[in-house]
């Protein structure tokens, strides 16, 4: 996949769109501005002007991470289709919104509150509604090799089912 070069902060909205699409990005910082927080492994930054060899090295590293990332991280498109490990599953709207929050924090804990706000932007659901949707989502995601793990008193964590199985063995 091609690495997109973006001028920071001028192309902030493009960065957000590319991040959602899972496209690797190299942010070009012009001048003494503070670098942005790097939000995922498909992003890096460099101050310009920079030596061509330095830019090429960062692009090469992003390409390597992108290839590795595409094999290990799920991708959810705008139509609610989740792809992982060469398989896919279609998700209904609420499950798609819940999955977006989990995919955006793949391998990290997402609080119940954050998950609730993601699934129901108009207001938080009751505890049982979230639990039922997470149960249904667990079943659906298991078909593509993903597992949602409950982290007691903290929230939920999305990971590859093989990672979960390895820990339980």
């Amino acid at each position: 996949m091609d690495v997109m070069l973006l001028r920071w902060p001028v192309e902030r909205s493009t960065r957000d769109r590319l991040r959602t699409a899972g496209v690797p990005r190299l942010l070009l910082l012009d001048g003494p501005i503070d670098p942005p927080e790097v939000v995922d492994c498909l992003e890096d930054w460099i101050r310009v002007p920079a030596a061509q060899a330095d830019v090429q090295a960062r692009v090469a590293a992003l390409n390597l991470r992108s290839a590795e990332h595409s094999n290990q991280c799920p991708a959810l498109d705008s139509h609610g289709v989740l792809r992982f490990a060469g398989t896919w599953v279609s998700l209904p709207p609420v499950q798609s919104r819940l999955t977006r929050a989990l995919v955006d924090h793949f391998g990290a804990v997402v609080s119940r509150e954050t998950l609730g706000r993601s699934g129901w932007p108009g207001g938080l659901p009751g505890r049982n509604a979230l639990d039922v949707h997470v149960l249904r989502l667990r079943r659906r995601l298991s078909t593509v090799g993903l597992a949602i793990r409950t982290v007691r008193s903290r929230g939920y964590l999305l990971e590859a089912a093989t990672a979960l199985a390895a820990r339980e063995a």
Side-chain angles (χ1 to χ4, degrees):
M1 181 177 285
D2 290 333
V3 173
M4 299 299 295
L5 304 179
L6 302 173
R7 297 186 64 73
W8 181 260
V10 175
E11 296 181 283
R12 179 186 307 259
S13 61
T14 303
R15 172 208 190 200
D16 295 340
R17 192 176 75 252
L18 293 173
R19 175 181 173 255
T20 300
V23 175
R25 301 143 330 264
L26 180 59
L27 306 178
L28 308 174
L29 280 65
D30 193 14
I33 62 173
D34 288 335
E37 178 181 340
V38 173
V39 294
D40 61 38
C41 68
L42 298 179
E43 184 171 278
D44 202 350
W45 60 269
I46 191 167
R47 291 197 189 279
V48 292
Q52 185 67 22
D54 291 346
V55 173
Q56 288 174 341
R58 301 257 178 155
V59 167
L62 282 167
N63 274 323
L64 285 172
R65 290 198 305 252
S66 176
E68 184 68 23
H69 180 84
S70 65
N71 292 329
Q72 294 181 358
C73 290
L76 179 65
D77 69 19
S78 61
H79 302 290
V81 176
L82 179 73
R83 290 178 173 76
F84 181 70
T87 61
W88 65 273
V89 64
S90 179
L91 302 172
V94 171
Q95 289 182 14
S96 181
R97 291 190 299 268
L98 293 173
T99 302
R100 168 60 55 209
L102 293 165
V103 166
D104 284 350
H105 298 92
F106 187 64
V109 176
V110 178
S111 71
R112 289 182 61 85
E113 182 181 334
T114 298
L115 211 52
R117 278 187 274 127
S118 297
W120 294 269
L124 293 176
R127 181 176 185 87
N128 288 344
L130 180 59
D131 291 342
V132 167
H133 280 280
V134 168
L135 175 66
R136 291 177 182 160
L137 188 56
R138 278 187 168 122
R139 291 178 186 151
R140 214 176 263 269
L141 297 185
S142 69
T143 65
V144 295
L146 291 170
I148 299 174
R149 186 171 155 210
T150 301
V151 180
R152 188 178 175 143
S153 301
R154 299 216 29 234
Y156 298 99
L157 180 140
L158 179 65
E159 64 184 355
T162 54
L164 179 62
R167 256 199 312 282
E168 291 175 350

